[in-house]
Amino acid sequence: MIALAAALLLLTTPAANQTGPAESSLVLTFETGARTGSVMVALYDSGTAYDGGPAVARMAIPASGPVVARFENLPAGDYAVKAFHDVNGDGQLNTNPFGLPTEPYAFSNNAVGNMGPARWDAARFPVSGETAQTITIR
């Protein structure tokens, strides 16, 4: 579970610049249990990036209303999402003394991990044209 917290903390590091043809978009709708703070979202375009490299895009969405992230001008391909609900608005994923997350988190495809973050293979999904996904943050 410490690996899960470390993986989710990567959401707060700077994203790399995106290159390549821009033709697709992604709309993510997040279902949350609280209306405080923000949902922090990171979008990855490879297993290597997902496992600790830079995200292709990041976004913070206030949780006071509908939580919808829209990523434009994406090259078609496989992507995966890591997200957490920063309930207290301090800009980071809070953890307990054992390193386990104390704030809700989620992965694309509503994938779940076993003693860590969901694997790339479970979280990845194709993006081509207009793609949408609803993710429940738990």
Side-chain angles (χ1 to χ4, degrees):
M1 286 308 244
I2 293 173
L4 171 62
L8 291 170
L9 285 174
L10 290 172
L11 294 175
T12 60
T13 59
N17 289 333
Q18 179 181 325
T19 60
E23 60 211 38
S24 297
S25 62
L26 172 62
V27 177
L28 301 169
T29 302
F30 292 92
E31 297 174 343
T32 63
R35 294 289 174 216
T36 61
S38 297
V39 172
M40 311 295 271
V41 183
L43 180 66
Y44 299 91
D45 64 353
S46 71
T48 302
Y50 182 83
D51 289 338
V56 295
R58 300 181 183 287
M59 190 175 296
I61 306 114
S64 56
V67 182
V68 178
R70 185 172 186 88
F71 297 97
E72 300 284 349
N73 303 320
L74 297 172
D78 286 344
Y79 290 86
V81 171
K82 293 179 184 177
F84 73 91
H85 188 168
D86 180 19
V87 177
N88 62 5
D90 66 356
Q92 59 187 351
L93 175 68
N94 299 122
T95 59
N96 68 20
F98 300 105
L100 302 175
T102 58
E103 292 182 299
Y105 56 89
F107 305 96
S108 45
N109 293 335
N110 288 307
V112 294
N114 183 14
M115 300 302 291
R119 292 184 11 242
W120 163 259
D121 289 336
R124 82 171 165 197
F125 59 95
V127 172
S128 180
E130 176 91 11
T131 304
Q133 191 170 129
T134 299
I135 300 172
T136 302
I137 298 182
R138 301 178 201 149

